[in-house]
Amino acid sequence: MIEIPSDLHPDLVPLAFLLGNWTGAGVSDFPGAEKCNFGQEVSFSHDGRDFLEYVSHSWVLDAEGNKVKPLESESGYWRIDKDRKVEVVMVRDQGVIEIWYGELAHQKPQIDLVTDAVARTAASGPYNGGKRLYGYVNSDLMWVGEKATPEVELRPYMSAHLKKVVTPEEVEQMAKGLGDLPDDGIAFFK
């Protein structure tokens, strides 16, 4: 279920499906880098202004699903205008700053983004730009990223399936909304 916080800036209502903390796993595969499974934690939050704050941390997983080492971290700010155009400013731990533009699909929670500008530090690896697709599917957040370098044409390199993290406080709020349930539990299903 998508909740719209009462203090959410009105412009951000179409992006409310992103809000919250998400965790899950995915696959990373790009020429010149080790193919791996990874874990990821993502947070989309707001403070009442006209943007969402975004933070993502990912790490390499071993065959048993244990954290092995950090993979990638990024943070940024997401905005949307009245025409459903989305803009994202993102900074990555690899020494890359990106400006992304895209749009929210009509009548579905899906965002397509393409890099418009890329700035790299001397320490960063080769990178020309990318595309990303985010979608809210059956209450989960899924995304796929594509990237290009001078040596490799644009191609998928990471994708993940994330589940919303529910805090004990949120569980308590949901339980309050259920009202009184029958004592035996069985009568509830009759």
Side-chain angles (χ1 to χ4, degrees):
M1 176 169 59
I2 299 172
E3 284 192 36
I4 300 174
S6 60
D7 60 342
L8 184 66
H9 190 284
D11 293 354
L12 297 175
V13 170
L15 298 180
F17 70 93
L18 294 171
L19 286 171
N21 297 310
W22 304 85
T23 188
V27 176
S28 177
D29 183 16
F30 195 77
E34 178 183 346
K35 180 178 180 177
C36 69
N37 292 324
F38 67 90
Q40 184 177 28
E41 293 175 349
V42 172
S43 173
F44 285 93
S45 59
H46 73 97
D47 64 6
R49 291 183 280 176
D50 69 341
F51 59 83
L52 295 182
E53 185 174 2
Y54 164 79
V55 178
S56 170
H57 297 284
S58 60
W59 54 89
V60 175
L61 298 175
D62 65 16
E64 288 77 43
N66 300 308
K67 291 181 182 181
V68 175
K69 62 182 178 182
L71 180 61
E72 194 171 275
S73 295
E74 51 191 31
S75 62
Y77 301 93
W78 293 54
R79 286 183 167 84
I80 187 168
D81 71 14
K82 62 180 174 45
D83 296 320
R84 304 174 69 83
K85 302 295 184 206
V86 178
E87 66 178 40
V88 179
V89 176
M90 192 178 302
V91 177
R92 296 209 228 173
D93 64 350
Q94 299 154 345
V96 175
I97 300 169
E98 300 158 301
I99 297 175
W100 298 79
Y101 285 104
E103 69 181 291
L104 179 63
H106 184 66
Q107 295 187 340
K108 61 181 172 179
Q110 176 182 309
I111 301 169
D112 287 289
L113 297 170
V114 178
T115 51
D116 180 65
V118 175
R120 299 181 301 117
T121 64
S124 74
Y127 175 65
N128 290 1
K131 289 183 173 184
R132 290 203 186 172
L133 171 64
Y134 290 83
Y136 184 75
V137 181
N138 297 323
S139 300
D140 294 345
L141 184 61
M142 298 180 179
W143 71 271
V144 61
E146 298 179 47
K147 77 175 181 179
T149 69
E151 299 81 27
V152 180
E153 290 186 21
L154 187 68
R155 66 167 295 235
Y157 81 105
M158 287 180 95
S159 62
H161 183 157
L162 309 172
K163 300 257 183 212
K164 190 141 193 192
V165 177
V166 181
T167 66
E169 294 80 20
E170 290 170 320
V171 171
E172 187 175 315
Q173 276 301 108
M174 287 187 272
K176 285 181 183 176
L178 292 176
D180 293 328
L181 296 176
D183 291 335
D184 64 3
I186 295 170
F188 177 74
F189 296 100
K190 291 183 181 177

